[in-house]
Amino acid sequence: MSGNILEVSDLRVDYGGIQALRGVSLAVPEGQVVALIGANGAGKTTTLRALSKMLRPTTGTVRFLGEDVTRLQSHQLVARGMAHAPEGRGIFLNLTVRENLELGAYLRRDRAGIAADADKNYALFPILAERRDQVSGTLSGGEQQMLAVARALMSRPKLLLLDEPSLGLAPQVVQRIFQVLREVSESGVSLLLVEQNAHKALQLAHRAYVLETGNIFMTGTGQELLASPEVRKAYLGE
């Protein structure tokens, strides 16, 4: 392997006659956080959905852990160590917190390991421990987002795709989510993060890509893009 856990080349996605992605190439180095920023409609969510096979790319190659996984299905990617916490959370609202976490580990058979990982997630998100027997639809938006991240972590991913983890959340909850993402990254999980809050995303990211109308427009380290006048004007509101 090249030191990259994920390598994407020339990824294209068409919706009907519209080109949502026009040849996106990017890499996620092992153990690093990579952020994908851009305006609404730039193709960020489409990129993650194409990578996790919620969508079928028109053309392009995806390599994960050195293997060409372009033709694999979602459950095969989860089994290899890729997890996706999608935009809109995607949790089972009629199930309890505990049941949602158990479903996150549905491909695993190591019961002791599953229980230990549930405890780890309750330590990361103490509010979920308090609410473990509560039906997930009754949680606040922030608690549901924490549950979405925790559930994705239950598959023991090597790479976690995160789509808008801070969307619509109160500032103190956003702070907690990003603190947890830093801890998850420091534990060795690689992250590919789509995030509307470009400032927070770039502060966390080792590397970042700016997506504009389905194309990669700019790339650099998180710090380089934070300092870029173009990025500051377009995405940081300066």
Side-chain angles (χ1 to χ4, degrees):
M1 214 167 68
S2 60
N4 293 324
I5 191 166
L6 181 74
E7 291 177 339
V8 181
S9 53
D10 200 31
L11 196 66
R12 294 169 191 267
V13 173
D14 298 329
Y15 289 120
I18 298 163
Q19 279 190 314
L21 297 183
R22 304 160 184 259
V24 166
S25 298
L26 58 85
V28 178
E30 209 163 354
Q32 292 199 3
V33 180
V34 173
L36 202 51
I37 65 168
N40 279 337
K44 307 183 301 294
T45 290
T46 301
T47 301
L48 293 195
R49 286 180 171 171
L51 293 177
S52 70
K53 298 305 184 300
M54 288 170 76
L55 280 175
R56 193 153 285 289
T58 314
T59 61
T61 308
V62 179
R63 295 188 73 80
F64 178 54
L65 291 167
E67 178 189 2
D68 185 340
V69 297
T70 314
R71 307 255 169 270
L72 296 188
Q73 295 178 325
S74 294
H75 68 277
Q76 294 172 303
L77 292 173
V78 173
R80 281 162 172 75
M82 185 190 295
H84 184 183
E87 186 184 17
R89 297 164 198 147
I91 57 174
F92 294 97
L93 297 175
N94 56 334
L95 299 181
T96 65
V97 166
R98 187 201 307 268
E99 288 165 340
N100 265 283
L101 291 186
E102 285 167 0
L103 277 173
Y106 75 101
L107 288 177
R108 294 173 56 185
R109 296 290 170 266
D110 55 321
R111 296 181 73 150
I114 291 169
D117 284 352
D119 287 342
K120 252 190 236 171
N121 277 300
Y122 290 139
L124 275 177
F125 296 113
I127 192 73
L128 295 184
E130 289 173 34
R131 309 248 193 279
R132 69 182 77 192
D133 295 316
Q134 197 167 313
V135 173
S136 303
T138 64
L139 301 178
S140 71
E143 290 160 0
Q144 288 185 10
Q145 185 58 65
M146 291 174 191
L147 179 56
V149 173
R151 190 185 66 177
L153 289 172
M154 286 298 294
S155 67
R156 281 207 180 155
K158 299 178 177 79
L159 172 66
L160 179 56
L161 312 179
L162 288 148
D163 196 355
E164 301 289 9
S166 81
L167 192 65
L169 302 183
Q172 69 270 25
V173 181
V174 172
Q175 204 66 28
R176 180 64 194 140
I177 293 271
F178 272 87
Q179 194 182 330
V180 166
L181 295 185
R182 189 177 298 281
E183 288 172 35
V184 168
S185 162
E186 285 167 358
S187 76
V189 179
S190 308
L191 304 180
L192 178 57
L193 171 68
V194 161
E195 176 54 61
Q196 209 58 44
N197 187 333
H199 200 270
K200 280 259 182 240
L202 293 175
Q203 281 179 324
L204 181 68
H206 298 91
R207 182 152 202 87
Y209 295 86
V210 181
L211 203 55
E212 276 193 6
T213 56
N215 290 302
I216 298 289
F217 161 71
M218 189 189 284
T219 184
T221 66
Q223 292 307 310
E224 284 166 354
L225 294 191
L226 270 175
S228 152
E230 284 169 286
V231 170
R232 292 174 83 89
K233 188 173 174 206
Y235 304 108
L236 303 179
E238 295 181 11

